[in-house]
Amino acid sequence: MKKELKKQIVEELSNEFTKDVSIFYADFKGQSVKDLEALRKAVREADGKVRIVKNTLARLALANNGIEASFEENNIFIWGEDQITLAKLVVKHAKDYKDTFKIKGAVVEGEVKDVAYVEEVSKLPTKDELLGMVAFMMKAPIAKFAWGLNKLIEKKSEEN
């Protein structure tokens, strides 16, 4: 790879790997192109990005943003703003392809995290799931009130 291309890649990744995004990295040795494309498609649908990058270039891009990290062997990088959704996708892919896709860690808010962190985050509800829970909790008292009001109306109509 030519030096100019490497500089361009580091510059692009430096712009992408800010502290506002969550970056997950995993070993993908043995993954078929079809399997990787399925992961890419799922990540794109979650407004994330996927790229296989040389470890040195990824390390330099993170260092440009004040983040110290080191990587070994082959790595695929998955990043985006929705930490929970991406963690769920990465963990699901790792479970589906246990032999060929192994999560190594993440960089979240400028800090390097381990695999256990990624797995714990994947268990949290997403923003949409939380909104659904809140809507359900708000609906329950209103539904009970409406039910009670309906019973009161029925009782009044029976008396008349």
Side-chain angles (χ1 to χ4, degrees):
M1 194 180 294
K2 293 189 178 188
K3 196 171 188 175
E4 298 84 32
L5 181 59
K6 288 180 183 178
K7 283 183 181 179
Q8 180 184 353
I9 291 170
V10 169
E11 187 177 320
E12 287 174 16
L13 291 176
S14 294
N15 293 334
E16 295 280 340
F17 288 177
T18 63
K19 292 184 180 180
D20 296 335
V21 299
S22 299
I23 306 161
F24 301 91
Y25 53 98
D27 184 353
F28 65 99
K29 199 181 308 170
Q31 283 270 281
S32 69
V33 172
K34 180 182 173 186
D35 298 341
L36 287 174
E37 282 304 315
L39 175 65
R40 282 188 171 105
K41 181 180 179 196
V43 170
R44 269 194 306 268
E45 288 173 359
D47 294 327
K49 296 183 180 180
V50 178
R51 190 164 181 181
I52 297 169
V53 183
K54 290 185 175 240
N55 294 333
T56 306
L57 301 180
R59 186 180 47 76
L60 289 170
L62 288 168
N64 287 345
N65 287 311
I67 303 167
E68 293 300 319
S70 62
F71 308 104
E72 295 177 5
E73 298 181 6
N74 299 327
N75 288 301
I76 187 166
F77 294 85
I78 299 118
W79 70 93
E81 292 181 9
D82 189 350
Q83 176 185 161
I84 296 171
T85 302
L86 291 178
K88 286 180 183 289
L89 289 171
V90 170
V91 168
K92 182 184 180 313
H93 194 79
K95 285 180 182 173
D96 292 346
Y97 302 97
K98 291 177 187 162
D99 297 332
T100 58
F101 191 86
K102 301 206 180 351
I103 302 166
K104 292 183 174 180
V107 179
V108 179
E109 296 177 357
E111 294 182 29
V112 178
K113 305 289 185 178
D114 62 0
V115 179
Y117 176 86
V118 176
E119 290 173 350
E120 286 301 313
V121 167
S122 74
K123 295 174 186 172
L124 296 172
T126 64
K127 181 181 175 183
D128 290 339
E129 291 169 342
L130 281 174
L131 289 173
M133 287 178 200
V134 168
F136 179 75
M137 286 189 287
M138 290 175 69
K139 179 184 143 199
I142 295 169
K144 287 180 182 178
F145 177 73
W147 180 81
L149 203 56
N150 191 30
K151 288 294 181 186
L152 184 62
I153 292 169
E154 286 176 9
K155 185 177 178 184
K156 289 289 183 185
S157 64
E158 286 176 6
E159 290 176 0
N160 292 337

